[in-house]
Amino acid sequence: MASLPPPYQTHLPLSPDPGEKPLNYEPQLPLVPIHIVTRASQLPAEFLEPSAERQLVIGFDCEGVDLCRHGTLCIMQLAFPDAIYLVDAIQGGAMLIQACKPALESSYITKVIHDCKRDSEALYFQFGIKLNNVVDTQIAYSLIEEQEGRKRLLDDYISFVGLLADPRYCGISYLEKEEVRFLLRQDPNFWTYRPLSEQMVRAAADDVRFLLYIYYKMMEKLNQQSLWYLAVRGALYCRCFCINDNNFADWPPLPPIPDNLIVDGNAPEEEILSVLDVPPGKMGRVIGRRGASILSIKESCNAEILIGGDKGPPDKVFIIGPVKQVRKAEAMLRGKMMDVYY
């Protein structure tokens, strides 16, 4: 189990005054410089040239307009222990993002991110980048809850604001996130404007500032089996909306089952991603009135079932989970598409 390195150790407050209302403590992270990057030469060499000898763990996120295959990637945030880099895709262009491709695809650099699916989709379709070796804190949170005997409600995924507020991982409020969301609703092009305002810089940096701290806290809790599930599901979530014609043959292989999880020939069941095509006009039957049909399938199968929604793709259902549960979900979904089940 990983322990917190010195920069991420928490300093708890001294005993409060008698009768004082206890407050959530904030991790005392060092104030690190924030660099706006428009040229690859402004990034650390160990990031641009990944190597087995200099393996890294970084916080990672993306901001943009309608971030998906068709949207616009505007900023890519990289959090190192000693600095935060805001990679400006608007000013630096495709050449700057392509310079980051070896790092984003490298198994030597761990990218800690919260909900990687749409970021991965944008990188893949806009820049041909196959995001690899992620630790998705949304997945890690669910695994820890399951490991500790707490069952997650269907479609109840922890938000980043909720994760930051959880005292087990950070215990801070993130009120500015709601302010930025409000601004985005008012003006979806918020992240395209240059020069970056102080609020934009602060909001972008705050989305990755605590990720490494949370990562080390989570690594202390996850057991070996959960760590393997975390790696596999992270890889599958990166692929999820990145549909191609070769069944992801050109993507990095999924992490194998570690030998220490194979006991007397028994091993955890393999997990897979299945992409199910929905014929024109049938998606309503899959979802059902007020979501009743797809909810019933989710209740029956121990698998994640995802639909593209407004961002698309509109004609596919994505299923992630153990092979048997995925096949069960496929059969039930196909049944919903048939007239007899309507």
Side-chain angles (χ1 to χ4, degrees), residues 242-264:
C242 302
I243 307 161
N244 61 21
D245 297 327
N246 61 7
N247 197 30
F248 306 102
D250 55 340
W251 282 65
L254 296 176
I257 299 174
D259 291 340
N260 61 358
L261 295 184
I262 303 173
V263 180
D264 297 330

Side-chain angles (χ1 to χ4, degrees), residues 25-291:
Y25 63 85
E26 181 172 334
Q28 301 298 305
L29 302 188
L31 291 175
V32 299
I34 301 170
H35 304 292
I36 298 174
V37 176
T38 58
R39 302 186 311 276
S41 60
Q42 296 170 291
L43 288 167
E46 60 268 28
F47 174 79
L48 293 172
E49 301 173 2
S51 70
E53 294 74 31
R54 295 185 298 179
Q55 299 194 32
L56 302 174
V57 180
I58 64 170
F60 180 72
D61 191 26
C62 297
E63 308 293 351
V65 180
D66 194 25
L67 201 60
C68 61
R69 69 186 63 199
H70 305 301
T72 302
L73 177 67
C74 298
I75 300 174
M76 198 164 63
Q77 303 105 292
L78 312 172
F80 289 72
D82 58 352
I84 294 173
Y85 297 86
L86 306 183
V87 180
D88 190 341
I90 300 293
Q91 297 280 55
M95 184 178 295
L96 175 59
I97 303 302
Q98 287 298 329
C100 299
K101 180 175 181 175
L104 299 180
E105 294 187 343
S106 175
S107 59
Y108 301 136
I109 299 181
T110 300
K111 281 70 68 173
V112 184
I113 184 173
H114 190 83
D115 191 3
C116 64
K117 296 187 292 296
R118 291 299 184 183
D119 296 53
S120 179
E121 180 187 21
L123 289 167
Y124 180 68
F125 284 104
Q126 295 179 36
F127 301 99
I129 294 172
K130 306 176 188 73
L131 187 61
N132 180 40
N133 192 24
V134 304
V135 168
D136 191 317
T137 53
Q138 191 174 72
I139 299 171
Y141 181 91
S142 295
L143 285 168
I144 293 169
E145 293 294 285
E146 181 182 329
Q147 190 178 286
E148 296 180 353
R150 290 181 290 274
K151 188 175 181 180
R152 177 174 64 83
L153 299 175
L154 286 176
D155 294 335
D156 183 23
Y157 303 100
I158 187 74
S159 69
F160 186 53
V161 172
L163 179 62
L164 285 177
D166 192 321
R168 294 173 297 170
Y169 303 108
C170 223
I172 64 170
S173 61
Y174 190 3
L175 298 178
E176 190 170 43
K177 186 73 171 178
E178 294 304 320
E179 295 176 17
V180 172
R181 284 177 177 163
F182 174 78
L183 291 172
L184 282 167
R185 286 193 293 271
Q186 297 292 109
D187 184 358
N189 294 317
F190 175 80
W191 289 111
T192 66
Y193 299 124
R194 297 297 181 273
L196 294 169
S197 68
E198 287 186 15
Q199 183 183 38
M200 294 168 78
V201 170
R202 187 170 61 248
D206 284 349
D207 272 357
V208 294
R209 187 185 304 278
F210 297 103
L211 281 174
L212 293 182
Y213 177 84
I214 293 169
Y215 165 81
Y216 287 110
K217 297 287 281 187
M218 288 180 158
M219 290 301 106
E220 290 179 335
K221 293 176 177 289
L222 290 160
N223 62 31
Q224 291 300 309
Q225 181 163 305
S226 292
L227 285 170
W228 176 70
Y229 280 130
L230 177 61
V232 172
R233 291 177 191 174
L236 292 174
Y237 273 65
C238 280
R239 299 179 182 199
C240 184
F241 295 132
C242 302
I243 307 161
N244 61 21
D245 297 327
N246 61 7
N247 197 30
F248 306 102
D250 55 340
W251 282 65
L254 296 176
I257 299 174
D259 291 340
N260 61 358
L261 295 184
I262 303 173
V263 180
D264 297 330
N266 297 315
E269 188 176 0
E270 177 190 3
E271 298 212 342
I272 61 171
L273 162 67
S274 173
V275 182
L276 196 62
D277 290 316
V278 179
K282 302 290 186 178
M283 186 60 81
R285 300 180 182 184
V286 168
I287 297 172
R289 184 173 296 174
R290 296 182 180 178

